[in-house]
Amino acid sequence: MTDLPAAPLPPHYRPPVPESYPEIARDTLEIDQEDLEHAPLISVGDPLVITEEELPGEAVESTEPVRMPSITISPDQVAPETATPPSPIPSSGVVMPSQAPSTGSRQGFTVALRQMFGQEELTTTKLRVLVQRYPDGPGLYGLQVRITCKGVKSYVAGTTDREGKFICELPVRVESGLTYDVDVTWPREEGSEVERKSITLNADRTHFTLPFYRQLDPPEDAS
């Protein structure tokens, strides 16, 4: 068995490199007392002190704050404010914004509310009136929608679009909101009945939806 040749090593095989651990030594290192006597002594000199006279003068000046001259504005430099007068309310007291409320109608309705609430702060939010034959059903086109507010003579009016929607932007009080009455006039074949719903709008939401349904249940042939 000992006469057999050794198997050749593969080309990628490398013999291990012997490792040495310096923290483990065979011989223990010993220090004689004579060697300690000849050790150099550490000398401590005087502490380093830097005075203000040794610092350059420019560095001292840079730390000082630089005060600029005060700014003064005279009354002659203030341009007078030009207030744009609001759009006058129509003599009939009716604002007709068609399907999309115009800027003039919104301003006119806001003027009427400001006259009633005085200096109270107002903002605006959107109201979408949805008129359908039944919930999730087809919208009714061309129905008259009238939006009024108690104490205000003028009102917003218009008609629904082909999807049965009428969207307008209405002013509301910032703190307590504002309640509006919404009247929808049903078609002539439905008796021209006027249905009213009230809704309180506030500034916490950007838009509100108020639905109107002619009937609550869809017809049997709708499925």
Side-chain angles (χ1 to χ4, degrees), residues 89-90 92-113 125 127-129 143-150 152-159 166-171 178 180-185 196 201:
I89 302 177
S92 60
V94 181
V95 181
M96 301 294 293
S98 67
Q99 295 179 3
S102 61
T103 304
S105 64
R106 184 172 63 251
Q107 291 179 353
F109 199 66
T110 303
V111 169
L113 288 174
T125 186
L127 174 63
R128 181 178 66 174
V129 180
L143 269 66
Q144 295 182 0
V145 180
R146 175 182 173 183
I147 302 175
T148 59
C149 182
K150 185 177 181 180
V152 181
K153 295 182 179 181
S154 61
Y155 57 87
V156 177
T159 57
F166 173 75
I167 302 175
C168 60
E169 189 173 4
L170 300 173
L178 193 59
Y180 288 93
D181 296 328
V182 181
D183 296 336
V184 172
T185 304
R196 167 172 289 189
L201 308 181

Side-chain angles (χ1 to χ4, degrees), residues 4-210:
L4 296 177
L9 299 176
H12 61 273
Y13 177 80
R14 295 181 180 178
V17 178
E19 299 181 2
S20 60
Y21 300 93
E23 63 273 10
I24 301 176
R26 296 180 181 179
D27 300 333
T28 303
L29 182 62
E30 296 181 358
I31 300 176
D32 297 337
Q33 191 67 22
E34 298 177 355
D35 297 338
L36 296 177
E37 295 178 356
H38 300 286
L41 299 178
I42 300 175
S43 59
V44 179
D46 298 334
L48 181 61
V49 178
I50 300 176
T51 61
E52 295 183 358
E53 290 76 6
E54 297 176 353
L55 296 176
E58 296 181 358
V60 177
E61 295 178 358
S62 61
T63 58
E64 295 293 333
V66 179
R67 296 184 178 274
M68 302 299 293
S70 59
I71 300 176
T72 57
I73 300 176
S74 61
D76 301 337
Q77 297 175 347
V78 180
E81 297 182 359
T82 56
T84 303
S87 300
I89 302 177
S91 58
S92 60
V94 181
V95 181
M96 301 294 293
S98 67
Q99 295 179 3
S102 61
T103 304
S105 64
R106 184 172 63 251
Q107 291 179 353
F109 199 66
T110 303
V111 169
L113 288 174
R114 289 192 181 278
Q115 293 176 355
M116 182 176 64
F117 295 114
Q119 300 298 327
E120 188 171 356
E121 185 178 359
L122 299 178
T123 183
T124 58
T125 186
K126 290 185 179 180
L127 174 63
R128 181 178 66 174
V129 180
L130 180 62
V131 184
Q132 295 178 330
R133 188 170 297 277
Y134 51 86
D136 297 331
L140 299 179
Y141 172 66
L143 269 66
Q144 295 182 0
V145 180
R146 175 182 173 183
I147 302 175
T148 59
C149 182
K150 185 177 181 180
V152 181
K153 295 182 179 181
S154 61
Y155 57 87
V156 177
T159 57
T160 57
D161 59 9
R162 297 190 178 276
E163 297 179 356
K165 294 184 300 183
F166 173 75
I167 302 175
C168 60
E169 189 173 4
L170 300 173
V172 296
R173 290 181 289 185
V174 175
E175 299 296 335
S176 57
L178 193 59
T179 301
Y180 288 93
D181 296 328
V182 181
D183 296 336
V184 172
T185 304
W186 293 102
R188 183 177 302 175
E189 57 270 16
E190 300 288 345
S192 301
E193 179 185 355
V194 178
E195 182 178 356
R196 167 172 289 189
K197 289 185 178 181
S198 299
I199 183 173
T200 300
L201 308 181
N202 53 67
D204 296 338
R205 294 167 55 183
T206 57
H207 69 279
F208 292 80
T209 301
L210 183 62

